Amino acid sequence: MVPVHPAQARRSRRWELRYQLSLLCADFAVGLGAGWLAFHVRFAELTAYTRIYMILSCLLPFALVGVLALARAYDKRFLYVGTEEYDRVLRGGLALIAGIAIVSYALELPTARTYVLMALPAATATLIVVRFLLRKRLHRGRARGEFLRRVIVVGHELAVVAMTRQLRRERFHGMDVVGACLPADGDGQVGLPVFGTFDEVPEAVSRAAADTVIVLGCPELDGDRLRRLAWRLEGDDIDLIVASALVDVAGGRTTLRPLDGLPMLHVEHPRLAGGSRVVKNLVDRGGALLLVGLLWPLFAYIAWRIRRDSPGPVLFRQVRVGRDGREFRIYKFRTMHVDAEARLSELRHLNEHDGVLFKIRDDPRVTSVGQWLRRFSLDELPQLFNVVAGQMSLVGPRPPLPQEVAMYHDDVLRRLAVKPGMTGLWQVSGRADLSWEEAVRLDLRYVENWSLSMDVVILLRTLTAVVRSSGAY
């Protein structure tokens, strides 16, 4: 193989600078638009009194970009994947609102509260949506093989195979594994080009034109060897990542704290109760009430279509298991014929899903209207009433059946630590196309790492998943 200097790999990462510049321009445009909208809605025309607000509208983009920079919303460590970027946008927007309120009160400025409450929340919400759309465009590019980091994985064979499989399964992370470095006495069977041993990582990086090294946990690579490896990689600006043995624990729960020169990784407990959960409950119920008020014409139309298509009730009621194992009755629009439950046993052998779930493509029990409802997940809209009643959340793990819970092992029971949701990571990551093991992993990831910003991202991804109707049957 012809050696390639790492500078060539760094040139391929110029997309990162372009992406950050696109974020900056988008944020500036959002600030300008929010200022213009608030001015023209609150003040119909330019007068001597409103001239100051016109100036404020022109300054808003600079103030917005400034607070986002202070909140480190442009730091590449928080971009591309995860919810940390959205957290920092929310913090920046709230900080700007609080700052303007404090200054106006302290200096007794006659600030128009309607203008402030219209411009800044609108700007913050739009920033999140715009960043979400830019990220989705990036992820589509990565699915085509663009905007990827070239990765060398360092570790023992089994760990390398497991890490490679996970990174290739979720391409949107942007990690393209191009080779491995293995122990000298290994068998080398990893399904990847092997560029050498643990002592040859810098040379492997050069030969593979890699820009990232992921080191997996192994006793040979102790603290001193890792430090020397970092020294050898820093000259060529190669990213060094040490993979943790923790599974599906987000960065918000981990803190690196030095103790006598040793980096100690502290892991916080997941937020299953407390003030943030109270806020989530209020947002869930308020959002569900708002959606019911907006969607009642659609409810009426769907009910009419169901009654016209086949005899039977409009709603389907079924017992599901909620938080802490409490059972409740879930509501859905009926998508099957009334004898569907009686016919389940004769179709059991056609199950196309592994694990405890039962799913069939082209299920003969589904009505013609039911197929349309399922395609766009409209059959689940009545669950908004379960959310209002406090039995479910807008976002959470899938609500299981009692017979499914009876087959759960101890780890899977962790899904019942929070309220089930109308949508969740499982639903927006492939829905019925996912294996049972992968669905459980995603639900557990949500339980362990929940945050309000994660809920916002999942709700946005739900819209795109419904439009694609992938995995819906």
Side-chain angles (χ1 to χ4, degrees), residues 2-21:
V2 179
V4 182
H5 195 273
Q8 180 175 337
R10 289 201 301 274
R11 284 195 295 271
S12 67
R13 289 172 55 182
R14 289 176 181 170
W15 65 265
E16 293 184 339
L17 178 59
R18 293 196 299 270
Y19 187 84
Q20 289 171 304
L21 288 175

Side-chain angles (χ1 to χ4, degrees), residues 414-464:
R414 182 68 168 176
R415 301 170 84 193
L416 306 180
V418 299
K419 293 180 184 178
M422 292 182 62
T423 185
L425 276 178
W426 181 82
Q427 291 90 330
V428 302
S429 301
R431 300 154 94 179
D433 288 337
L434 293 177
S435 66
W436 168 249
E437 179 184 352
E438 183 67 9
V440 169
R441 187 181 70 85
L442 290 170
D443 277 345
L444 293 181
R445 179 193 295 178
Y446 176 83
V447 173
E448 296 296 313
N449 304 298
W450 169 82
S451 67
L452 286 175
S453 60
M454 178 182 286
D455 280 1
V456 172
V457 173
I458 291 174
L459 289 172
L460 290 173
R461 289 179 62 187
T462 298
L463 297 177
T464 60

Side-chain angles (χ1 to χ4, degrees), residues 95-377:
L96 186 57
I97 295 172
I100 291 177
I102 292 172
V103 170
S104 298
Y105 178 79
L107 301 180
E108 298 182 354
L109 300 176
T111 307
R113 290 187 294 272
T114 307
Y115 172 85
V116 175
L117 294 177
M118 186 180 300
L120 298 183
T124 303
T126 307
L127 284 174
I128 293 176
V129 174
V130 169
R131 284 175 174 250
F132 172 79
L133 295 176
L134 287 173
R135 181 181 288 189
K136 293 297 290 184
R137 187 178 69 176
L138 173 68
H139 291 175
R140 288 194 296 269
R142 285 177 166 176
R144 297 191 301 266
E146 304 169 355
F147 315 126
L148 299 175
R149 292 174 175 269
R150 295 176 60 83
V151 178
I152 294 290
V153 182
V154 182
H156 287 271
E157 284 84 349
L158 290 178
V160 168
V161 169
M163 176 62 69
T164 302
R165 184 184 300 117
Q166 182 162 351
L167 293 178
R168 288 179 173 175
R169 182 175 58 219
E170 299 180 343
R171 294 273 292 182
F172 65 88
H173 285 297
M175 298 288 187
D176 182 24
V177 180
V178 296
C181 287
L182 306 175
D185 57 351
D187 58 20
Q189 301 301 313
V190 292
L192 293 168
V194 177
F195 289 97
T197 64
F198 294 164
D199 295 324
E200 300 171 293
V201 173
E203 293 79 7
V205 167
S206 179
R207 292 170 59 196
D211 51 41
T212 303
V213 173
I214 296 180
V215 178
L216 308 178
C218 52
E220 295 91 337
L221 294 171
D222 55 16
D224 289 335
R225 293 189 68 177
L226 274 178
R227 180 171 56 184
R228 288 193 292 270
L229 176 60
W231 290 344
R232 296 178 66 185
L233 295 177
E234 68 180 1
D236 291 316
D237 194 26
I238 304 299
D239 288 343
L240 176 63
I241 300 173
V242 180
S244 170
L246 295 172
V247 178
D248 289 329
V249 176
R253 289 181 52 208
T254 59
T255 307
L256 199 62
R257 305 174 190 171
L259 180 63
D260 194 24
L262 297 175
M264 308 296 286
L265 188 66
H266 290 247
V267 182
E268 307 293 339
H269 293 297
R271 291 176 288 181
L272 301 178
S276 57
R277 285 289 173 177
V278 174
V279 173
K280 175 177 172 63
N281 186 50
L282 293 175
V283 171
D284 282 336
R285 295 192 178 192
L289 282 172
L290 178 62
L291 288 173
V292 169
L294 293 174
L295 298 177
W296 71 264
L298 180 60
F299 277 70
Y301 173 72
I302 292 174
W304 174 73
R305 287 288 304 273
I306 292 173
R307 294 298 295 269
R308 181 185 174 188
D309 181 67
S310 63
V314 170
L315 293 180
F316 173 72
R317 299 170 178 85
Q318 190 177 49
V319 174
R320 296 293 180 104
V321 180
R323 184 177 182 180
D324 298 327
R326 290 190 291 269
E327 295 185 352
F328 67 98
R329 195 171 295 276
I330 200 173
Y331 300 100
K332 289 186 175 185
F333 283 121
R334 181 173 60 86
T335 60
M336 292 186 173
H337 295 286
V338 291
D339 62 345
E341 292 295 320
R343 297 174 59 188
L344 178 61
S345 58
E346 66 185 66
L347 299 173
R348 182 72 68 178
H349 67 286
L350 299 175
N351 187 17
E352 300 177 14
H353 207 285
D354 59 347
V356 301
L357 297 180
F358 179 79
K359 290 285 185 180
I360 307 176
R361 293 183 189 270
D362 302 320
D363 194 324
R365 300 173 300 164
V366 178
T367 64
S368 58
V369 171
Q371 293 175 350
W372 171 69
L373 293 175
R374 288 187 171 203
R375 178 183 177 187
F376 297 103
S377 300

Side-chain angles (χ1 to χ4, degrees), residues 377-390:
S377 300
L378 296 176
D379 59 314
E380 299 179 3
L381 287 179
Q383 294 174 29
L384 289 169
F385 295 105
N386 293 112
V387 177
V388 173

